[in-house]
mmCIF file of all heavy atoms in Angstrom:
data_model
loop_
_atom_site.group_PDB
_atom_site.id
_atom_site.type_symbol
_atom_site.label_atom_id
_atom_site.label_comp_id
_atom_site.label_asym_id
_atom_site.label_seq_id
_atom_site.Cartn_x
_atom_site.Cartn_y
_atom_site.Cartn_z
ATOM 1 N N PHE A 1 -13.904 1.133 8.134
ATOM 2 C CA PHE A 1 -14.146 0.485 6.906
ATOM 3 C C PHE A 1 -12.924 -0.175 6.323
ATOM 4 O O PHE A 1 -12.965 -1.336 5.818
ATOM 5 C CB PHE A 1 -14.740 1.507 5.869
ATOM 6 C CG PHE A 1 -14.767 0.970 4.444
ATOM 7 C CD1 PHE A 1 -15.795 0.089 4.046
ATOM 8 C CD2 PHE A 1 -13.842 1.382 3.531
ATOM 9 C CE1 PHE A 1 -15.860 -0.352 2.797
ATOM 10 C CE2 PHE A 1 -13.850 0.862 2.249
ATOM 11 C CZ PHE A 1 -14.899 0.052 1.870
ATOM 12 N N LEU A 2 -11.790 0.495 6.310
ATOM 13 C CA LEU A 2 -10.509 -0.082 5.793
ATOM 14 C C LEU A 2 -10.065 -1.275 6.527
ATOM 15 O O LEU A 2 -9.554 -2.202 5.990
ATOM 16 C CB LEU A 2 -9.474 1.032 5.707
ATOM 17 C CG LEU A 2 -9.693 2.133 4.716
ATOM 18 C CD1 LEU A 2 -8.637 3.281 4.885
ATOM 19 C CD2 LEU A 2 -9.666 1.508 3.296
ATOM 20 N N LEU A 3 -10.284 -1.247 7.845
ATOM 21 C CA LEU A 3 -9.845 -2.419 8.700
ATOM 22 C C LEU A 3 -10.737 -3.599 8.343
ATOM 23 O O LEU A 3 -10.264 -4.740 8.499
ATOM 24 C CB LEU A 3 -9.890 -2.056 10.210
ATOM 25 C CG LEU A 3 -8.765 -1.073 10.629
ATOM 26 C CD1 LEU A 3 -9.031 -0.778 12.078
ATOM 27 C CD2 LEU A 3 -7.431 -1.566 10.350
ATOM 28 N N ARG A 4 -11.969 -3.392 8.018
ATOM 29 C CA ARG A 4 -12.842 -4.522 7.607
ATOM 30 C C ARG A 4 -12.439 -4.980 6.197
ATOM 31 O O ARG A 4 -12.487 -6.140 5.838
ATOM 32 C CB ARG A 4 -14.347 -4.088 7.656
ATOM 33 C CG ARG A 4 -14.842 -3.933 9.140
ATOM 34 C CD ARG A 4 -16.345 -3.815 9.107
ATOM 35 N NE ARG A 4 -16.776 -2.632 8.414
ATOM 36 C CZ ARG A 4 -16.976 -1.385 8.902
ATOM 37 N NH1 ARG A 4 -16.644 -1.212 10.229
ATOM 38 N NH2 ARG A 4 -17.372 -0.416 8.218
ATOM 39 N N PHE A 5 -12.215 -3.987 5.357
ATOM 40 C CA PHE A 5 -11.919 -4.315 3.944
ATOM 41 C C PHE A 5 -10.480 -4.945 3.795
ATOM 42 O O PHE A 5 -10.338 -5.825 2.950
ATOM 43 C CB PHE A 5 -12.068 -3.028 3.082
ATOM 44 C CG PHE A 5 -11.728 -3.224 1.645
ATOM 45 C CD1 PHE A 5 -12.647 -4.025 0.833
ATOM 46 C CD2 PHE A 5 -10.601 -2.653 1.081
ATOM 47 C CE1 PHE A 5 -12.378 -4.089 -0.499
ATOM 48 C CE2 PHE A 5 -10.349 -2.824 -0.259
ATOM 49 C CZ PHE A 5 -11.192 -3.568 -1.079
ATOM 50 N N LEU A 6 -9.593 -4.452 4.564
ATOM 51 C CA LEU A 6 -8.154 -4.921 4.560
ATOM 52 C C LEU A 6 -7.789 -5.320 5.951
ATOM 53 O O LEU A 6 -6.985 -4.720 6.683
ATOM 54 C CB LEU A 6 -7.304 -3.745 4.114
ATOM 55 C CG LEU A 6 -7.415 -3.267 2.628
ATOM 56 C CD1 LEU A 6 -6.589 -2.000 2.475
ATOM 57 C CD2 LEU A 6 -7.055 -4.357 1.617
ATOM 58 N N PRO A 7 -8.237 -6.548 6.355
ATOM 59 C CA PRO A 7 -7.968 -7.037 7.706
ATOM 60 C C PRO A 7 -6.521 -7.393 7.832
ATOM 61 O O PRO A 7 -5.819 -7.605 6.779
ATOM 62 C CB PRO A 7 -8.838 -8.260 7.910
ATOM 63 C CG PRO A 7 -9.060 -8.711 6.462
ATOM 64 C CD PRO A 7 -9.110 -7.461 5.646
ATOM 65 N N PRO A 8 -5.877 -7.502 9.017
ATOM 66 C CA PRO A 8 -4.601 -7.940 9.188
ATOM 67 C C PRO A 8 -4.341 -9.289 8.488
ATOM 68 O O PRO A 8 -5.128 -10.219 8.570
ATOM 69 C CB PRO A 8 -4.344 -8.037 10.754
ATOM 70 C CG PRO A 8 -5.368 -7.114 11.193
ATOM 71 C CD PRO A 8 -6.519 -7.200 10.251
ATOM 72 N N GLY A 9 -3.169 -9.388 7.805
ATOM 73 C CA GLY A 9 -2.925 -10.637 7.088
ATOM 74 C C GLY A 9 -1.873 -10.443 5.948
ATOM 75 O O GLY A 9 -1.276 -9.318 5.879
ATOM 76 N N ALA A 10 -1.710 -11.357 5.093
ATOM 77 C CA ALA A 10 -0.707 -11.304 4.096
ATOM 78 C C ALA A 10 -0.904 -10.166 3.122
ATOM 79 O O ALA A 10 0.044 -9.475 2.675
ATOM 80 C CB ALA A 10 -0.623 -12.620 3.374
ATOM 81 N N VAL A 11 -2.170 -9.952 2.732
ATOM 82 C CA VAL A 11 -2.446 -8.920 1.780
ATOM 83 C C VAL A 11 -2.179 -7.544 2.340
ATOM 84 O O VAL A 11 -1.436 -6.691 1.723
ATOM 85 C CB VAL A 11 -3.903 -8.922 1.292
ATOM 86 C CG1 VAL A 11 -4.255 -7.751 0.387
ATOM 87 C CG2 VAL A 11 -4.190 -10.222 0.512
ATOM 88 N N ARG A 12 -2.517 -7.322 3.608
ATOM 89 C CA ARG A 12 -2.332 -5.959 4.207
ATOM 90 C C ARG A 12 -0.749 -5.776 4.426
ATOM 91 O O ARG A 12 -0.278 -4.689 4.185
ATOM 92 C CB ARG A 12 -3.080 -5.873 5.566
ATOM 93 C CG ARG A 12 -2.997 -4.540 6.133
ATOM 94 C CD ARG A 12 -3.795 -4.462 7.437
ATOM 95 N NE ARG A 12 -3.799 -3.192 7.991
ATOM 96 C CZ ARG A 12 -4.575 -2.155 7.756
ATOM 97 N NH1 ARG A 12 -5.544 -2.290 6.907
ATOM 98 N NH2 ARG A 12 -4.433 -1.045 8.392
ATOM 99 N N ASP A 13 -0.099 -6.885 4.823
ATOM 100 C CA ASP A 13 1.344 -6.792 4.981
ATOM 101 C C ASP A 13 2.053 -6.420 3.610
ATOM 102 O O ASP A 13 2.948 -5.602 3.628
ATOM 103 C CB ASP A 13 1.913 -8.082 5.434
ATOM 104 C CG ASP A 13 1.609 -8.287 6.947
ATOM 105 O OD1 ASP A 13 1.314 -7.385 7.600
ATOM 106 O OD2 ASP A 13 1.857 -9.498 7.332
ATOM 107 N N LEU A 14 1.517 -6.962 2.520
ATOM 108 C CA LEU A 14 2.043 -6.684 1.191
ATOM 109 C C LEU A 14 1.799 -5.182 0.868
ATOM 110 O O LEU A 14 2.778 -4.498 0.381
ATOM 111 C CB LEU A 14 1.479 -7.542 0.156
ATOM 112 C CG LEU A 14 1.886 -7.349 -1.338
ATOM 113 C CD1 LEU A 14 3.390 -7.614 -1.404
ATOM 114 C CD2 LEU A 14 1.042 -8.170 -2.243
ATOM 115 N N LEU A 15 0.699 -4.730 1.200
ATOM 116 C CA LEU A 15 0.383 -3.302 0.940
ATOM 117 C C LEU A 15 1.208 -2.336 1.725
ATOM 118 O O LEU A 15 1.633 -1.265 1.262
ATOM 119 C CB LEU A 15 -1.150 -3.022 1.155
ATOM 120 C CG LEU A 15 -2.080 -3.715 0.164
ATOM 121 C CD1 LEU A 15 -3.473 -3.373 0.597
ATOM 122 C CD2 LEU A 15 -1.874 -3.179 -1.240
ATOM 123 N N HIS A 16 1.483 -2.764 2.971
ATOM 124 C CA HIS A 16 2.386 -1.917 3.798
ATOM 125 C C HIS A 16 3.834 -1.965 3.319
ATOM 126 O O HIS A 16 4.597 -0.978 3.495
ATOM 127 C CB HIS A 16 2.378 -2.436 5.230
ATOM 128 C CG HIS A 16 1.174 -2.095 6.029
ATOM 129 N ND1 HIS A 16 0.677 -0.757 6.122
ATOM 130 C CD2 HIS A 16 0.332 -2.836 6.734
ATOM 131 C CE1 HIS A 16 -0.467 -0.788 6.904
ATOM 132 N NE2 HIS A 16 -0.663 -1.990 7.279
ATOM 133 N N GLY A 17 4.247 -3.037 2.652
ATOM 134 C CA GLY A 17 5.588 -3.223 2.182
ATOM 135 C C GLY A 17 6.448 -4.044 3.066
ATOM 136 O O GLY A 17 7.668 -4.084 2.968
ATOM 137 N N VAL A 18 5.865 -4.855 3.925
ATOM 138 C CA VAL A 18 6.625 -5.723 4.858
ATOM 139 C C VAL A 18 7.596 -6.641 4.103
ATOM 140 O O VAL A 18 8.758 -6.724 4.463
ATOM 141 C CB VAL A 18 5.658 -6.544 5.778
ATOM 142 C CG1 VAL A 18 6.438 -7.599 6.570
ATOM 143 C CG2 VAL A 18 4.844 -5.649 6.650
ATOM 144 N N PRO A 19 7.188 -7.297 3.003
ATOM 145 C CA PRO A 19 8.159 -8.175 2.248
ATOM 146 C C PRO A 19 9.292 -7.357 1.687
ATOM 147 O O PRO A 19 10.416 -7.909 1.390
ATOM 148 C CB PRO A 19 7.325 -8.743 1.133
ATOM 149 C CG PRO A 19 5.881 -8.646 1.615
ATOM 150 C CD PRO A 19 5.876 -7.401 2.335
ATOM 151 N N LEU A 20 9.147 -6.015 1.483
ATOM 152 C CA LEU A 20 10.169 -5.236 0.965
ATOM 153 C C LEU A 20 11.149 -4.639 1.965
ATOM 154 O O LEU A 20 12.246 -4.227 1.731
ATOM 155 C CB LEU A 20 9.615 -4.103 0.168
ATOM 156 C CG LEU A 20 8.618 -4.390 -0.926
ATOM 157 C CD1 LEU A 20 8.067 -3.123 -1.553
ATOM 158 C CD2 LEU A 20 9.382 -5.211 -2.075
ATOM 159 N N GLY A 21 10.639 -4.687 3.313
ATOM 160 C CA GLY A 21 11.452 -3.949 4.309
ATOM 161 C C GLY A 21 11.364 -2.501 4.212
ATOM 162 O O GLY A 21 12.241 -1.754 4.752
ATOM 163 N N HIS A 22 10.387 -1.979 3.548
ATOM 164 C CA HIS A 22 10.384 -0.509 3.234
ATOM 165 C C HIS A 22 8.899 -0.228 2.887
ATOM 166 O O HIS A 22 8.291 -1.013 2.163
ATOM 167 C CB HIS A 22 11.219 -0.232 2.020
ATOM 168 C CG HIS A 22 11.404 1.290 1.738
ATOM 169 N ND1 HIS A 22 10.314 1.963 1.103
ATOM 170 C CD2 HIS A 22 12.353 2.104 1.848
ATOM 171 C CE1 HIS A 22 10.732 3.186 0.966
ATOM 172 N NE2 HIS A 22 11.988 3.319 1.424
ATOM 173 N N PRO A 23 8.307 0.921 3.290
ATOM 174 C CA PRO A 23 6.979 1.213 2.948
ATOM 175 C C PRO A 23 6.838 1.156 1.409
ATOM 176 O O PRO A 23 7.656 1.797 0.664
ATOM 177 C CB PRO A 23 6.776 2.636 3.429
ATOM 178 C CG PRO A 23 7.729 2.758 4.585
ATOM 179 C CD PRO A 23 8.875 1.911 4.243
ATOM 180 N N ALA A 24 5.746 0.552 0.944
ATOM 181 C CA ALA A 24 5.508 0.389 -0.473
ATOM 182 C C ALA A 24 4.866 1.685 -1.184
ATOM 183 O O ALA A 24 5.155 1.884 -2.335
ATOM 184 C CB ALA A 24 4.539 -0.755 -0.787
ATOM 185 N N HIS A 25 4.159 2.460 -0.370
ATOM 186 C CA HIS A 25 3.421 3.599 -0.998
ATOM 187 C C HIS A 25 4.308 4.692 -1.532
ATOM 188 O O HIS A 25 4.093 5.064 -2.729
ATOM 189 C CB HIS A 25 2.545 4.158 0.081
ATOM 190 C CG HIS A 25 1.722 5.436 -0.345
ATOM 191 N ND1 HIS A 25 0.715 5.280 -1.259
ATOM 192 C CD2 HIS A 25 1.809 6.648 -0.002
ATOM 193 C CE1 HIS A 25 0.218 6.447 -1.491
ATOM 194 N NE2 HIS A 25 0.859 7.376 -0.793
ATOM 195 N N PRO A 26 5.370 5.156 -0.849
ATOM 196 C CA PRO A 26 6.132 6.318 -1.371
ATOM 197 C C PRO A 26 6.764 6.084 -2.738
ATOM 198 O O PRO A 26 6.587 6.834 -3.699
ATOM 199 C CB PRO A 26 7.169 6.578 -0.316
ATOM 200 C CG PRO A 26 6.583 6.046 0.947
ATOM 201 C CD PRO A 26 5.790 4.849 0.545
ATOM 202 N N PRO A 27 7.499 4.934 -2.959
ATOM 203 C CA PRO A 27 8.049 4.789 -4.306
ATOM 204 C C PRO A 27 7.047 4.541 -5.422
ATOM 205 O O PRO A 27 7.296 4.973 -6.568
ATOM 206 C CB PRO A 27 8.989 3.507 -4.127
ATOM 207 C CG PRO A 27 8.402 2.774 -2.971
ATOM 208 C CD PRO A 27 7.961 3.829 -2.027
ATOM 209 N N LEU A 28 5.863 3.923 -5.048
ATOM 210 C CA LEU A 28 4.862 3.835 -6.072
ATOM 211 C C LEU A 28 4.256 5.118 -6.605
ATOM 212 O O LEU A 28 3.825 5.216 -7.704
ATOM 213 C CB LEU A 28 3.701 2.938 -5.508
ATOM 214 C CG LEU A 28 4.062 1.429 -5.407
ATOM 215 C CD1 LEU A 28 2.844 0.652 -4.707
ATOM 216 C CD2 LEU A 28 4.462 0.752 -6.708
ATOM 217 N N THR A 29 4.281 6.095 -5.608
ATOM 218 C CA THR A 29 3.712 7.408 -6.070
ATOM 219 C C THR A 29 4.532 8.024 -7.265
ATOM 220 O O THR A 29 3.995 8.950 -7.951
ATOM 221 C CB THR A 29 3.651 8.350 -4.965
ATOM 222 O OG1 THR A 29 4.962 8.563 -4.442
ATOM 223 C CG2 THR A 29 2.757 7.813 -3.732
ATOM 224 N N ASP A 30 5.800 7.679 -7.386
ATOM 225 C CA ASP A 30 6.626 8.324 -8.385
ATOM 226 C C ASP A 30 6.218 8.047 -9.768
ATOM 227 O O ASP A 30 6.387 8.868 -10.673
ATOM 228 C CB ASP A 30 8.066 7.713 -8.266
ATOM 229 C CG ASP A 30 8.778 8.182 -7.025
ATOM 230 O OD1 ASP A 30 8.319 9.140 -6.410
ATOM 231 O OD2 ASP A 30 9.845 7.655 -6.650
ATOM 232 N N VAL A 31 5.452 6.868 -9.929
ATOM 233 C CA VAL A 31 5.049 6.537 -11.332
ATOM 234 C C VAL A 31 3.932 7.402 -11.822
ATOM 235 O O VAL A 31 4.062 8.077 -12.865
ATOM 236 C CB VAL A 31 4.591 5.052 -11.369
ATOM 237 C CG1 VAL A 31 4.170 4.653 -12.833
ATOM 238 C CG2 VAL A 31 5.746 4.099 -10.927
ATOM 239 N N PRO A 32 2.783 7.558 -11.154
ATOM 240 C CA PRO A 32 1.740 8.415 -11.664
ATOM 241 C C PRO A 32 2.166 9.890 -11.679
ATOM 242 O O PRO A 32 1.873 10.627 -12.621
ATOM 243 C CB PRO A 32 0.514 8.175 -10.735
ATOM 244 C CG PRO A 32 1.051 7.622 -9.490
ATOM 245 C CD PRO A 32 2.259 6.800 -9.904
ATOM 246 N N VAL A 33 2.813 10.276 -10.673
ATOM 247 C CA VAL A 33 3.269 11.722 -10.599
ATOM 248 C C VAL A 33 4.235 12.065 -11.745
ATOM 249 O O VAL A 33 4.073 12.981 -12.473
ATOM 250 C CB VAL A 33 3.943 12.009 -9.256
ATOM 251 C CG1 VAL A 33 4.676 13.477 -9.273
ATOM 252 C CG2 VAL A 33 2.966 12.005 -8.071
ATOM 253 N N GLY A 34 5.185 11.080 -12.030
ATOM 254 C CA GLY A 34 6.116 11.303 -13.120
ATOM 255 C C GLY A 34 5.418 11.299 -14.519
ATOM 256 O O GLY A 34 5.698 12.089 -15.376
ATOM 257 N N CYS A 35 4.421 10.350 -14.645
ATOM 258 C CA CYS A 35 3.681 10.348 -15.894
ATOM 259 C C CYS A 35 2.863 11.520 -16.148
ATOM 260 O O CYS A 35 2.842 12.107 -17.313
ATOM 261 C CB CYS A 35 2.735 9.085 -15.942
ATOM 262 S SG CYS A 35 3.602 7.466 -16.122
ATOM 263 N N TRP A 36 2.130 12.012 -15.119
ATOM 264 C CA TRP A 36 1.318 13.176 -15.308
ATOM 265 C C TRP A 36 2.101 14.476 -15.534
ATOM 266 O O TRP A 36 1.697 15.330 -16.257
ATOM 267 C CB TRP A 36 0.377 13.266 -14.113
ATOM 268 C CG TRP A 36 -0.637 12.126 -14.085
ATOM 269 C CD1 TRP A 36 -1.127 11.498 -15.164
ATOM 270 C CD2 TRP A 36 -1.320 11.639 -12.975
ATOM 271 N NE1 TRP A 36 -2.030 10.558 -14.783
ATOM 272 C CE2 TRP A 36 -2.251 10.605 -13.431
ATOM 273 C CE3 TRP A 36 -1.353 11.979 -11.581
ATOM 274 C CZ2 TRP A 36 -2.993 9.885 -12.535
ATOM 275 C CZ3 TRP A 36 -2.169 11.209 -10.729
ATOM 276 C CH2 TRP A 36 -3.041 10.167 -11.221
#
């Protein structure tokens, strides 16, 4: 389902963190965890 919903391309690369040179998910988790 996810591969159909998020096929390879610019959006998926952005979600992985390719433009950052670093995975995007780990630093983003700090925000909700810190707030809660």
Side-chain angles (χ1 to χ4, degrees):
F1 168 78
L2 288 173
L3 291 177
R4 290 190 298 272
F5 179 69
L6 295 172
V11 173
R12 189 177 179 88
D13 286 344
L14 179 63
L15 292 175
H16 285 308
V18 173
L20 305 175
H22 185 287
H25 179 69
L28 288 176
T29 62
D30 292 345
V31 181
V33 171
C35 287
W36 291 335

